[in-house]
Amino acid sequence: SRLDVGKIKLNLEKADSQKLVKEVIDGRKQDVETKGNVLKFEVEENLPFVHTDRTRTKIVINNLIDNAIKFSKTNTEIIVSLYKEGNKVIFSVEDFGVGISKQERKNIYKKFFRAENVFRYQTKGFGLGLFTAKFIVDALGGDLNFESREEVGSRFWFSLPIYK
């Protein structure tokens, strides 16, 4: 509800993007292994620090990894990567799973939206993860994007400004 009324207080500070992602990955290892997947973490060398709210950024990373776990096919990779692009650091999560249909892509960030294929795969959730992630990334001055192909997989990525 705080998201709805725009009353979210950010604690912006200098943060190590690699450390933030590693903390989330460490907390999700069991979930990845239970599904029979492998999580691969790729990091560009000498990444600059980002200007962000650590807690909120970890929520976004966790939401994207959670979706990758839920919607990936068993025994596939989930690839998490970090790299610099211009004056931003890009956080990317790619899965090889069910993908998102072209018709449903326009609704992907809407509150309570759940794609048709989530019901076929019996995944749990309320349809708030991407809504929340988009709100947070926008508030942090970044962008959240995705590309997807049905029955091939999806890649979600977001940017955060470099700390100056």
Side-chain angles (χ1 to χ4, degrees), residues 120-149:
R120 281 187 290 155
Y121 290 89
Q122 304 296 313
T123 59
K124 296 178 183 176
F126 296 104
L128 293 171
L130 290 174
F131 169 80
T132 302
K134 176 87 170 120
F135 183 91
I136 291 170
V137 170
D138 287 350
L140 292 170
D143 295 302
L144 175 62
N145 297 290
F146 74 97
E147 57 191 12
S148 186
R149 289 181 43 211

Side-chain angles (χ1 to χ4, degrees), residues 7-89:
K7 295 197 181 212
I8 183 173
K9 185 174 177 173
L10 298 174
N11 182 23
L12 296 173
E13 59 188 324
K14 178 181 180 181
D16 181 337
S17 55
Q18 184 173 351
K19 186 177 177 185
L20 291 173
V21 172
K22 186 85 173 91
E23 288 172 8
V24 175
I25 287 173
D26 288 346
R28 299 308 305 260
K29 276 186 179 174
Q30 184 65 44
D31 299 324
V32 172
E33 291 169 4
T34 298
K35 181 124 183 220
N37 296 98
V38 174
L39 196 143
K40 205 166 148 186
F41 185 29
E42 302 172 344
V43 183
E44 184 178 290
E45 288 187 34
N46 303 316
L47 273 180
F49 287 96
V50 291
H51 191 230
T52 195
D53 179 309
R54 293 171 200 249
T55 302
R56 300 289 189 313
T57 301
K58 284 168 61 174
I59 289 170
V60 174
I61 297 165
N62 187 64
N63 284 349
L64 298 183
I65 290 175
D66 185 60
N67 281 349
I69 293 167
K70 282 194 255 188
F71 300 115
S72 64
K73 295 174 184 166
T74 304
N75 299 316
T76 60
E77 287 183 330
I78 294 170
I79 303 168
V80 178
S81 55
L82 283 171
Y83 55 94
K84 182 180 178 268
E85 192 172 89
N87 61 352
K88 297 186 180 232
V89 171

